[in-house]
Amino acid sequence: MSDATGIPSSTLGNYEKDKNVDMSLGNLLTLADFYHVSTDCPLPESCCNH
């Protein structure tokens, strides 16, 4: 996946391990594009809870 996204495998590993790592906007957009999902509401705890 690192080759396909250009995101280092160590960074992807930290995301997968759910380490408290701040994801850059660029990586968020890259992964959303890779998985064909929207970035409108990426975090369940903040998603559309008005």
Side-chain angles (χ1 to χ4, degrees):
M1 189 160 118
S2 180
D3 290 338
T5 62
I7 299 171
S9 58
S10 60
T11 301
L12 293 170
N14 286 336
Y15 296 158
E16 290 173 0
K17 293 175 187 170
D18 199 27
K19 292 196 175 192
N20 193 13
V21 178
D22 290 330
M23 183 180 294
S24 71
L25 178 58
N27 285 356
L28 175 64
L29 295 173
T30 297
L31 290 172
D33 187 51
F34 180 82
Y35 286 111
H36 306 287
V37 295
S38 171
T39 59
D40 290 344
C41 205
L43 304 174
E45 59 271 359
S46 65
C47 183
C48 308
N49 292 328
H50 300 280

